[in-house]
Amino acid sequence: MEGGQMRPCYQLFKALCLTVSILFLVNCAVTQKGAEILEKTGKITSEDKELITKTSEAVRSSFRDLSEEEEYYIGRSVAALILSKYKVWDNSKATNYVNLLTQAVALFSERPEIYAGYHTLILDTDEINALAAPGGFIFLTRGLLRLCSDEDTLAGIIAHEIGHISARHGLQAIKKSRLIEAFKLLASETAERLAPERLAQLTNLFEGTLDDIVGQLIERGYDRRSEYEADSLSLATLQRAAYSPQGMLHFLEVLAQTKTKTTSLKGWFSTHPEPKDRHERLKAEVHLAKEQVIIPKVRSSRFQKVASTWQ
Amino acid sequence: MKKLFFLLGLIGLTVLSLSKTDILIVKVQSTALRPEPNFFSAVKLMLKAGDQLEKLASREGWFQVRISSGTVGWVHSSAVQPRPSQLMALAQGPKTQATMSEVALASKGFNRQVEASYRQKHPEIDYSWVDRMLGFKASLEAVETFLREGQLGEWKEAK
C-alpha cells in the first residue's frame, strides 16, 4: 500500500491502534459495529476490519463454551421434559436417602460443585433406567432401585450419572449449527435483556437444544465412548469414596440376566451398551484397582431399611 | 516521539500488571470459602456467582484465594473459573478468548429470560417438581455423619 512512504513512527502508531482495537473489540458485543466505525473514520483498512470481525466470531463455537449458568437453565428444562414423561415417586424417606447419597458421592467426583448442586428424584415406574440432565438433575426409576443389592451398587450408579454430568455428555448432543447460531445472535446483541424478536429466535434455538438432548437421553442413549467414560469416572469416584466397585460389576451381571428375560427394550436396554460389554471393561479396570473393599454392616443395614420402601 | 514512548510505556505497564494477577470468578450459585482445602472444614463465609477472587496458591483441586476484603481461604476448583487478562487471552488464542467471552456472556444466553419465554410458549410443561427437587439438600453435617457412619472417605478406617 502506501506503507513504504510512511514514517516508521506513524506505522508503529497505526499497528498500536489496530492492536488496542482488537483487544477491546474482540470481547465486546458491538465488535462488528465498532470495526465499521473504525473503517469509516479511516483508522483501519477494510482488510483490518475483516480480521477484527473474524477474530470476534471465533469466540464461542461449541458446547464447551456454554457457561455453568446456561448449562443449569438447559438442564432445568430437560428435567421438566423428563418429568412430563414419567410420574414422580414421592416417598420422602427414599428421596432423602438418595439425595444424601448423591451429595456424598458428588464430593468425590471430578466435579463436586456445580451451579445449583446435584439433586435426585425417583421416578415411579418399573422400567429400569437412570437419567442425568445437564446442570445436576438425576433421575432413578424404582425398577432400577429394586435391582440394587446394596448401597455401594447404588453409589456406583449415581457416580456414573454424575460422570455424565461432569463430562458434559448431555451438552454434546446439541447440534453444533444450532449453538453457533445462538452464539452469533447473542454476540450481536448489546443489551442485557433481549428484544422480543431476538428473544423469540433464541427461544426457538433453546427448544431445538432441548430436543437434541432429550432425544439422546430417552431414545438414542449416549455413544459408547461416553458410557465407558462415565463408567471409568464412576470407578474413580467410588475408589476415592472408599465404596466397593464390586457392586457395579454385580449390577451389570444382574442387568445382563434381566435382559435375557425381558422383551422390553424401553429404558436402559435401548439407551445403554450391552451390560456384558460394560461388565468386561469394568472388570478389567477393577482388577487394575486391586483394592478389595469389605462392606461394613452399617452400610448394609441402612440400605436395607430404605430399600424395603421401594420393593 | 516522547509522547509515543510514554504511551508504549503505559501499555507495557498495563500488560505487566494484568498478566501478574490471576483472577478467578465464582461460577456456581454459591460456594464456601474455607480455612482448609477440605469440604468438611468450617465455613469462613459464603461466596456467590460472579465474585472475583485473587488466586494465591493451589493444592489437590483446591485454590487458596484472597477476596476483596482481604480475607484468605480455600475454594474448590470446580466452583470457579479463571478470568485471564484480555491481552494474555489474545496471545493464547481462541480457546482462552472463548473462556473470557463465556464470562462476559454468562448473564446473556440460555438464562432465566429464555426459560420464561420457553415456558410461555409451552404452558403444558410443569416445572414444579424441578423447583421442588432443587430443595432436596442435605446439610454438610448430615453428609459428614453419613460418610463417617458408613466408613467412607477419610473415615474409611474408622471403627
Side-chain angles (χ1 to χ4, degrees):
Chain A
M1 244 194 341
E2 72 272 20
Q5 305 288 321
M6 290 186 202
R7 291 187 310 172
C9 282
Y10 182 69
Q11 274 184 292
L12 182 61
F13 181 69
K14 192 166 167 285
L16 209 61
C17 280
L18 181 62
T19 309
V20 172
S21 305
I22 289 172
L23 287 173
F24 285 107
L25 294 175
V26 78
N27 289 299
C28 179
V30 291
T31 300
Q32 270 196 298
K33 196 131 179 82
E36 278 163 22
I37 291 167
L38 280 177
E39 191 197 4
K40 275 190 187 126
T41 54
K43 296 280 187 292
I44 59 172
T45 65
S46 59
E47 287 86 8
D48 297 335
K49 186 201 100 175
E50 285 308 306
L51 168 66
I52 292 168
T53 308
K54 278 200 181 106
T55 313
S56 64
E57 280 171 357
V59 171
R60 289 221 287 175
S61 61
S62 84
F63 74 93
R64 287 179 198 87
D65 302 324
L66 285 164
S67 69
E68 188 95 3
E69 188 187 44
E70 284 176 306
E71 188 183 348
Y72 166 73
Y73 277 102
I74 290 169
R76 277 178 58 87
S77 289
V78 168
L81 287 168
I82 290 170
L83 291 166
S84 70
K85 299 178 194 301
Y86 292 97
K87 210 166 139 260
V88 174
W89 188 49
D90 191 7
N91 179 299
S92 55
K93 186 173 179 180
T95 304
N96 288 343
Y97 172 78
V98 298
N99 274 280
L100 192 48
L101 182 56
T102 299
Q103 279 177 240
V105 167
L107 290 180
F108 299 97
S109 71
E110 298 292 319
R111 194 177 170 188
E113 297 204 47
I114 196 167
Y115 192 74
Y118 293 93
H119 307 274
T120 301
L121 266 191
I122 304 172
L123 304 177
D124 197 0
T125 172
D126 294 334
E127 195 182 299
I128 300 164
N129 215 345
L131 300 160
F137 302 90
I138 297 170
F139 303 91
L140 309 171
T141 63
R142 274 178 84 177
L144 177 80
L145 291 173
R146 286 189 196 114
L147 281 191
C148 294
S149 50
D150 51 52
E151 182 174 298
D152 294 50
T153 302
L154 184 51
I157 291 167
I158 290 171
H160 176 97
E161 297 309 314
I162 289 175
H164 279 311
I165 293 168
S166 78
R168 295 182 170 88
H169 291 154
L171 298 180
Q172 290 177 39
I174 307 170
K175 292 194 170 78
K176 190 163 180 170
S177 55
R178 210 189 297 284
L179 268 184
I180 287 175
E181 210 183 317
F183 291 154
K184 261 194 179 151
L185 193 156
L186 290 162
S188 67
E189 274 293 314
T190 56
E192 189 76 15
R193 286 185 70 82
L194 294 168
E197 55 198 57
R198 292 300 188 131
L199 180 59
Q201 279 177 279
L202 194 61
T203 305
N204 287 341
L205 291 165
F206 185 68
E207 213 167 3
T209 296
L210 300 180
D211 286 342
D212 292 339
I213 297 173
V214 174
Q216 180 187 66
L217 266 183
I218 307 277
E219 307 296 330
R220 300 184 302 275
Y222 295 112
D223 58 30
R224 267 174 202 275
R225 186 195 59 81
S226 297
E227 284 295 347
Y228 294 148
E229 185 179 16
D231 277 342
S232 295
L233 291 170
S234 167
L235 185 60
T237 300
L238 293 178
Q239 284 168 342
R240 283 190 288 264
Y243 271 116
S244 165
Q246 300 294 334
M248 268 306 277
L249 288 175
H250 177 67
F251 175 75
L252 290 169
E253 283 166 15
V254 170
L255 259 191
Q257 287 164 15
T258 307
K259 191 183 178 190
T260 60
K261 291 182 198 155
T262 184
T263 51
S264 166
L265 286 180
K266 267 196 96 179
W268 196 284
F269 301 117
S270 68
T271 58
H272 287 74
E274 284 287 330
K276 200 164 56 74
D277 294 338
R278 289 175 67 195
H279 184 276
E280 286 307 307
R281 287 182 68 97
L282 210 54
K283 201 168 154 188
E285 285 193 56
V286 169
H287 177 72
L288 282 171
K290 286 185 170 65
E291 219 173 285
Q292 286 292 323
V293 176
I294 297 161
I295 299 176
K297 261 198 179 139
V298 65
R299 285 213 300 270
S300 310
S301 60
R302 74 186 178 194
F303 177 82
Q304 293 309 325
K305 272 192 197 136
V306 75
S308 61
T309 63
W310 57 61
Q311 296 307 327
Chain B
M1 199 61 182
K2 267 190 196 167
K3 206 171 168 185
L4 180 64
F5 282 128
F6 176 72
L7 197 65
L8 281 170
L10 205 60
I11 287 169
L13 277 173
T14 313
V15 171
L16 272 175
S17 64
L18 284 173
S19 59
K20 270 177 80 172
T21 313
D22 276 343
I23 301 293
L24 300 172
I25 296 185
V26 175
K27 62 174 178 174
V28 297
Q29 274 185 338
S30 67
T31 190
L33 185 74
R34 302 176 189 279
E36 299 294 327
N38 182 321
F39 282 114
F40 301 105
S41 156
V43 174
K44 275 192 172 188
L45 53 90
M46 295 302 293
L47 304 166
K48 62 185 190 311
D51 283 350
Q52 297 199 28
L53 319 167
E54 185 190 344
K55 183 172 124 182
L56 302 174
S58 60
R59 193 199 301 172
E60 293 167 358
W62 291 79
F63 292 127
Q64 188 186 45
V65 296
R66 181 188 290 124
I67 66 173
S68 54
S69 66
T71 308
V72 172
W74 293 84
V75 291
H76 194 269
S77 57
S78 56
V80 296
Q81 64 189 35
R83 196 206 74 182
S85 71
Q86 295 187 7
L87 291 165
M88 297 306 291
L90 186 65
Q92 283 160 39
K95 187 74 183 101
T96 320
Q97 289 166 12
T99 308
M100 285 177 55
S101 280
E102 198 172 86
V103 172
L105 296 172
S107 59
K108 296 196 312 187
F110 294 142
N111 58 10
R112 197 191 302 269
Q113 187 190 14
V114 174
E115 180 187 296
S117 167
Y118 175 75
R119 287 170 73 165
Q120 207 169 29
K121 205 175 166 189
H122 297 279
E124 74 284 4
I125 297 172
D126 185 3
Y127 282 70
S128 54
W129 265 112
V130 177
D131 291 327
R132 236 176 114 176
M133 76 189 281
L134 285 167
F136 298 150
K137 188 167 173 60
S139 68
L140 208 56
E141 290 75 25
V143 175
E144 186 178 344
T145 304
F146 183 81
L147 292 171
R148 191 176 52 248
E149 287 178 357
Q151 294 177 35
L152 295 158
E154 61 191 84
W155 297 279
K156 67 177 176 182
E157 301 288 328
K159 293 273 180 264

